[in-house]
Amino acid sequence: SSELTQDPAVSVALGQTVRITCQGDSLTHYSARWYQKRPGQAPVVVISGENNRPSGIPDRFSGSTSGNTGSLTITGAQAADEADYFCNSRDISGIPLFGGGTKLTVL
Amino acid sequence: QITLKESAPTLVKPTQTLKLTCTFSGFSLSSSGVGVGWVRQTPGMPLEWLALIYWDNDKRYSPSLRSRLTITKDTSRNLVVLTVTNMEPVDTATYYCTRDFWGGDGYYFDYWGQGTLVTVSA
């Protein structure tokens, strides 16, 4: 399968930890990247590889991939983290794939 | 400082061809490992990858849209053009230009333009 599956919505209490997951066969050979998308703004990469966090991204964001599942963990979620999160991988021929997105609500 | 900026008509009619131009600065598309691509999003829908072109002129297209897409680059002018033929109302979206960068264990989209909204309507 060339799809990436995400839960449509997840909520977390302010200051608590939340994990957003992504499943797909491509993740067995290409670790998940994660993008934060706020309305009216361009996507921002928050995880750029196997637990690689670009400069400027808070260290409360972490990522991992195991088997066919990628995970984005936010430890101590903040109100500013409320956004849509998209996982991204590549298929065997290098074609980028995006998950359906997870809407994160911070309560 | 790396920037990318999209330009396109805001309104196109059904069946017309859309030309999207990405003008970038702060990097060269002749540098090994670098690519520039296009991603679009309709409100409330997922990000949808469309096309990529790399420093060596390798081109990749979304399988579902391949027949309608053509991507080209002008390295000397730092721009990438994507044409989309036979536009339909379902193609109404914000189109983003993005740099594809090799991060050591694979590529990722590290810089993005602000996006340009294209509406398809008669």
Side-chain angles (χ1 to χ4, degrees), chain A residues 30-31 33 35 37-38 40-45 47-50 52 54 84 86 88 90-91 93-101, chain B residues 39 41 45-49 52 54 60-63 66 96 98 100-115:
Chain A
Y30 207 100
S31 61
R33 280 76 170 130
Y35 296 86
K37 178 69 172 66
R38 296 189 178 101
Q41 298 185 21
V44 173
V45 59
I47 296 296
S48 57
E50 186 58 35
N52 292 333
D84 294 328
F86 294 92
N88 166 243
R90 309 267 165 142
D91 72 11
S93 59
I95 296 294
L97 306 168
F98 281 104
Chain B
V39 174
Q41 188 183 35
M45 296 297 286
L47 297 173
E48 181 182 17
W49 171 76
L52 273 166
Y54 290 97
R60 307 293 173 93
Y61 294 103
S62 165
R66 184 183 187 88
Y96 295 97
T98 180
D100 202 23
F101 184 76
W102 178 261
D105 70 338
Y107 280 96
Y108 66 101
F109 300 119
D110 63 345
Y111 288 90
W112 296 71
Q114 63 190 18

